[in-house]
Amino acid sequence: MSGGKKELVRAVKFTLFSISAGLIELLSFTLMNELFQWNYRVCYLTALILSVLWNFTLNRKVTFRSANNIPVAMLKVAAYYLVFTPLSAWGGDWLADAGWNEYVVLTVSMLLNFVTEFLYDRFVVFGRSIDTAPVKKRAA
């Protein structure tokens, strides 16, 4: 498969896994927001952690097929979220307090997360270790 086609397939896989992580984030956020009526930040942070764990696991194994050191890769992802999370939580709180609908704020945050995390994962977290995991051969 050519390099361009490989990257397109990788982007599609990342998108599909991000959609599944987004559903986890949206459903858990909705549960906490509607059922428990916690403030935006608590709902957002809890839902974000759940979706990050899901997304990291799938993308490492399937999208980027990386054999790199898992704790090191997780630390790199944690570094991304040390920047993204406070900015998005603070910005989301500010917008929600300003009267924006919590779900519009969440959607904007998720879209920003999707784009920036793909680039960060592709070039920083898994950049040199892409496609290094052994390919499992199917039984004949």
Side-chain angles (χ1 to χ4, degrees):
M1 189 179 320
S2 72
K5 189 171 183 178
K6 249 184 168 175
E7 288 304 314
L8 177 61
V9 168
R10 194 178 324 279
V12 169
K13 286 179 184 178
F14 188 87
T15 300
L16 293 173
F17 290 139
S18 293
I19 289 169
S20 70
L23 289 172
I24 288 169
E25 187 171 344
L26 181 60
L27 291 173
S28 56
F29 178 89
T30 300
L31 177 71
M32 291 176 282
N33 189 51
E34 300 298 330
L35 188 62
F36 304 124
Q37 298 183 341
W38 293 341
N39 74 5
Y40 176 84
R41 187 178 307 155
V42 173
C43 297
Y44 172 68
L45 292 175
T46 306
L48 180 65
I49 289 167
L50 294 172
S51 72
V52 167
L53 291 172
W54 172 263
N55 207 26
F56 172 81
T57 302
L58 290 176
N59 279 312
R60 183 186 145 297
K61 287 183 170 212
V62 180
T63 303
F64 298 108
R65 293 185 36 252
S66 173
N68 69 351
N69 185 305
I70 294 171
V72 170
M74 287 194 100
L75 282 172
K76 289 178 181 179
V77 170
Y80 166 84
Y81 279 101
L82 281 174
V83 174
F84 180 83
T85 303
L87 290 175
S88 61
W90 174 80
D93 251 356
W94 185 79
L95 291 172
D97 289 345
W100 283 46
N101 179 283
E102 291 91 350
Y103 296 99
V104 171
V105 174
L106 180 64
T107 300
V108 169
S109 177
M110 289 169 71
L111 289 171
L112 285 170
N113 179 238
F114 166 71
V115 172
T116 58
E117 188 176 5
F118 175 76
L119 295 172
Y120 185 80
D121 283 357
R122 171 63 182 86
F123 296 106
V124 177
V125 177
F126 303 113
R128 292 189 178 137
S129 69
I130 289 177
D131 297 331
T132 57
V135 177
K136 293 182 181 177
K137 302 202 179 201
R138 295 181 183 171

